[in-house]
Amino acid sequence: MDQAIADSTDGDDARGLTAAAVAERIASGQTNSYAADTSRSAWNIVRANVFTLFNGIVAACFLVLLLLGRWQDALFGIAALSNAVIGCVQEFRAKAALDRLALLNAPRARVRRDGLDAEIAPGDVVRDDLLVLRAGDQVPADAAVVESRGLQIDESMLTGESDAVDKRPGDDALSGSIVVGGEGTARATRVGAESYANTFASEAKKFQLVSSELRTSIDRVLKWVGWGIGPVGLLVLNAQMMVAGGWAEAFQQGTWSQAVVNTIASLTAMIPLGLVLMTSIAFAVGAARLAGKKVLVNELPAVEGLARVDVICLDKTGTLTAGEIRFDDALTLTDRPGWRETLGWYGAADDANATARCLREPFPVDAPLVPVQRIPFSSARKWSAVSFAERAEGTWILGAPEMVFGDQAADPATPLGAAVTRLASSGRRTLVLAQTATALDDDDVAGERFRGEPVAVAVLTFIEAVRPDAAGALAFFREQGVGVRVISGDNPRTVAAIAREVGLEVDEGYDARRLPEDDAELGRIMEEHTVFGRVTPDQKKRIVTALQARGHVVAMTGDGVNDALAIKTADIGIAMNSGAAATKAVARLVLLDGRFSHLPSVVAEGRQVIANIERVSMLFLTKTVYATGLAVLFGVLVMEFPFLPRQLSITDGLTIGIPAFFLALLPNTQRYVPGFLKRSLSFAIPAGIVIAVSLTVYTRLAMDLGLSVEQLRTGATIILAIVAIWVLTVLSRPITRVKVLVVGAMFIALTAIFTIPVLGEFFQLQDPGEDGAWLVTAVVVAALAVIEAVRFAHRRFVRRLLARGSAGRGSVPASQMTGVAGASTAERMK
């Protein structure tokens, strides 16, 4: 039966499938329905948050303590489980929000059935459906071209070839490819899971970890700890056994269990479990926040990439302007009969773009003209041409003046140039209607050319409304040190006029037709100029690449199919929801309500994520360093480890875990600068060493003073709690009310644990006595003084790194040197 259905379309190339044929194919399962993940899968979320190496180590330690009957010391297992649950819940909530938005944002497919064109969901396309393809469409299923009128398809998403391919009858059109010019029809041949896009390139649309310094650095730290945890664990276990009287004596006397508990305490302290959790939560919360602002994040870690953006390229139409174009006027240069009817035909054409559709009302059509030959509009040429059967006027050309007449259109000495220059300088968009005496033939259409000398008949002007929120958004980017480049296919003078209207200081735009072929020279020009006009789609991509080659992290925004290649190439591609489906498909972010004013909050969200993660990472890495230092020192010196696991749970939860959760979500506009791991370790290593040495010295002196094991452990816990709270305070600077509440709450909780008898008994805390109290006080004061010195040196070190890094990327505003570099002047005054 399937073969019978495949062999018959129950329709023809003009009318498409009949309703009965569609029903038969649906019944036999020959539909385009394909269940592809729109974001990170549930299994990936669970695996990333639960099934990790360190969770495995924690689980093993947890089980050992339970078997030893020391459940009180297994609290870290509950904390690790909570971390995993919180991480999963946060990411599931973000996934639900993103999936809902992605569903609302799904593209549509255009098919012809029973002779009528209709828009349907891509999943409702069936095999042998007649697809109607127009510029801006994304091909929903593999198909064979039936009819082509200048049909051009960009298959770069699938094949990597950036040039658009001319499609003629019989050629294949791959699913997922983009129609960039002309129009045509194609017969669906492979649908659903069989289509090329779903079998080969669909992974590009699923959740994937964006390659980033943040992820790479954290993975590197985890790898180091993973390699070191085994040898260090054996070293500590041996030391604890020796303290218990030796291996043989420990097993005979039954003291080996305490040695194992001490070893587990040292190992679990080394694992920065919360660092991975906080990173995942920060990404998920950032994406969820953006979803609340109608910003669809196609890849969660793309939120991090926003923090690194230092140049944003804007397409004028639909970004700076509202994208709603209206006809303004027609300036007649040469009186030729039929020019009004020709403009009416352009406005009424099925494949008319937004600009051409503006001609319908001012130039109504009484008797439709019948074209005998035509060359559809393309973004690369920026003109279209047509010859009519009823008239012998030759060929009519409608397009950008510079692309039809060359330099003549920009020369004020010519009537055309004077008109175009004057009108474009006022911010109006200009097109020219021209005529040649020679009609188009098949060779002209195939070669996309017209013959004969064109004569300018009329200059048409169009007005675009500037977005009211554009000026404020651009002001934000200036304050944040983000460079702005406006690139458009319109007249450079028109683009420059619009740019001045939204607050950019530019004299006139740069004509992209003069851009050099050499990429290095192109990069230099991009540094020197702000506004570019007459930019082709391929040039937009080259512009993005040239900026990236000069060390910039580039965001590209746009809404047209001509922006798709540049948006795909950019580090962060941002599409307007009003744009072409193909453009939204390759973008990492989609502004669902098309509001340009969301871009500042988008960039700010990314900066908040990565700046806070850098701050939080110092807490966790400091803990990993001092825990590793303690394990090594006590292992080498053969001293009993000064903590029980339950006592370390106090400091882990109240000085790192809980406050880190809040710090990771607080506002932070610090500009990202490469060197995350270097900056973090430059504080964590010396601070961790200070804490480890302080506790080692305290333990040795406490043993000399004759303190009991319980008193020694209590003193060590007090020292670690106070110093860790101070490290938390140092890394929270500049201090705000929220941070005061967080740090204050943690200090109150610690005080309660040390003063409430029931809690003191549970955590085995005892009064260290007068001698112990003086020793604790002396060690704490000395440690805090050294920590402050470390912080001072760290700030100077980071400032030098920032100054050195900004030298090659343009200066970083002082207001951005916050967080790891210390507070800005304005923040210190608050």
Side-chain angles (χ1 to χ4, degrees), residues 529-551:
H529 297 271
T530 302
V531 174
F532 299 83
R534 297 301 177 214
V535 183
T536 65
D538 184 60
Q539 284 179 320
K540 289 184 179 183
K541 177 184 176 182
R542 286 190 60 221
I543 285 171
V544 171
T545 303
L547 288 169
Q548 290 171 328
R550 293 181 71 88

Side-chain angles (χ1 to χ4, degrees), residues 124 138 160 605 662:
D124 294 336
Q138 186 173 31
E605 192 68 47
F662 291 98

